[in-house]
């Protein structure tokens, strides 16, 4: 049953990793001046660059939080189902053992039949858990696409309106002055247009 437990647990971990990676990939950078980034458009030919903190964005953007909660619920469902199937298999296995030890099997055929049934239960449980995991991964990918599209579309529009040539992630640099951080403006803008996703 360790395999089933691993399958169930791995989905939530994968969800967290993919969500973080996708957010980083979807926005080729974000963050702007905390004071008045709109007034910082350059007229002398110099590039205007701002940055965002990806971790803060993921922690504060309501859509990202909703997706994280949805994937946690799915992970809990997987874990619950894995425990349920595991308990059924363990219970039947114990019944076989007790019956065998108490000479409850009158024929070898009846013992073999129960052994075959136990083996089929294990196979069915493994296949079922694999299907649930695939479904969860597909759901995660859909959420991931939705999150990427939402952030990328907003960043593109926001950068054009502000006159920024580039918005990058804080993690992509060694040092960035906080006055070029536009994380709060981006998060506020994202949340302003946010529509709560349907819980599954």
């Amino acid at each position: 049953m360790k395999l089933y437990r691993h399958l169930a647990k791995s989905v939530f971990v994968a969800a967290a990793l993919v969500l973080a990676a996708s957010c980083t990939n979807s926005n080729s950078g974000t963050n702007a001046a905390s004071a008045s980034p709109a007034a910082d458009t350059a007229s002398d030919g110099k590039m205007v660059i701002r940055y965002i903190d990806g971790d803060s964005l993921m922690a504060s953007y309501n859509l990202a939080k909703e997706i994280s909660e949805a994937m946690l619920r799915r992970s809990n469902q997987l874990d619950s189902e894995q425990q349920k199937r595991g308990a059924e298999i363990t219970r039947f296995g114990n019944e076989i053992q007790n019956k065998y030890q108490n000479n409850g099997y009158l024929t070898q055929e009846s013992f073999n039949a129960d052994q075959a049934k136990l083996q089929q239960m294990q196979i069915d449980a493994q296949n079922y858990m694999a299907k649930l995991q695939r479904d969860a991964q597909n759901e995660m990918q859909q959420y991931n696409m939705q999150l990427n599209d939402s952030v990328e579309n907003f960043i593109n529009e926001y950068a054009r309106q502000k006159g920024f040539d580039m918005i990058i992630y804080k993690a992509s640099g060694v040092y960035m002055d906080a006055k070029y951080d536009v994380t709060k403006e981006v998060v506020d803008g994202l949340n302003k247009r946010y529509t709560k996703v349907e819980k599954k």
Side-chain angles (χ1 to χ4, degrees):
M1 295 314 298
K2 289 183 179 179
L3 173 61
Y4 306 144
R5 186 171 293 106
H6 173 71
L7 290 174
K9 293 291 186 182
S10 66
V11 172
F12 179 67
V13 175
L17 292 175
V18 172
L19 282 175
S22 68
C23 181
T24 300
N25 292 334
S26 68
N27 310 323
S28 55
T30 47
N31 270 6
S34 56
S36 179
D40 286 337
T41 56
S43 60
D44 56 1
K46 293 182 179 179
M47 290 187 66
V48 181
I49 303 175
R50 296 295 179 264
Y51 75 90
I52 60 169
D53 186 324
D55 291 338
S56 295
L57 186 148
M58 292 297 292
S60 302
Y61 182 21
N62 290 334
L63 174 59
K65 292 191 287 186
E66 283 293 317
I67 289 174
S68 178
E69 291 170 2
M71 293 315 300
L72 179 59
R73 287 193 299 272
R74 176 54 68 95
S75 177
N76 289 338
Q77 290 171 359
L78 282 170
D79 190 53
S80 176
E81 193 62 35
Q82 171 265 314
Q83 292 181 22
K84 176 183 175 182
R85 292 294 180 111
E88 291 173 354
I89 292 171
T90 299
R91 182 167 53 251
F92 188 62
N94 289 338
E95 290 176 3
I96 293 175
Q97 184 177 6
N98 291 335
K99 189 174 180 180
Y100 180 80
Q101 290 176 344
N102 292 310
N103 297 319
Y105 287 105
L106 301 180
T107 65
Q108 183 68 34
E109 287 74 16
S110 62
F111 174 72
N112 291 342
D114 278 354
Q115 288 282 69
K117 180 180 177 181
L118 177 63
Q119 184 177 16
Q120 189 61 50
M121 288 175 66
Q122 294 169 334
I123 293 173
D124 291 345
Q126 185 174 4
N127 291 338
Y128 182 64
M129 291 304 301
K131 180 184 181 302
L132 290 184
Q133 185 188 32
R134 288 193 302 270
D135 291 345
Q137 289 173 338
N138 290 336
E139 180 182 358
M140 180 183 67
Q141 289 173 357
Q142 293 300 315
Y143 278 141
N144 190 43
M145 290 174 58
Q146 181 184 3
L147 179 61
N148 284 345
D149 290 345
S150 177
V151 175
E152 183 174 352
N153 291 336
F154 178 82
I155 292 287
N156 290 338
E157 180 181 349
Y158 170 78
R160 283 194 298 269
Q161 290 178 352
K162 294 292 186 178
F164 300 149
D165 297 299
M166 187 181 299
I167 298 178
I168 63 176
Y169 274 101
K170 182 178 181 181
S172 65
V174 177
Y175 169 76
M176 297 181 186
D177 194 312
K179 68 183 178 181
Y180 299 116
D181 183 355
V182 291
T183 304
K184 186 178 186 306
E185 286 190 15
V186 170
V187 170
D188 288 347
L190 284 166
N191 284 336
K192 185 177 181 180
R193 70 173 192 175
Y194 169 71
T195 300
K196 192 180 180 79
V197 298
E198 181 181 354
K199 291 184 182 294
K200 294 187 176 182

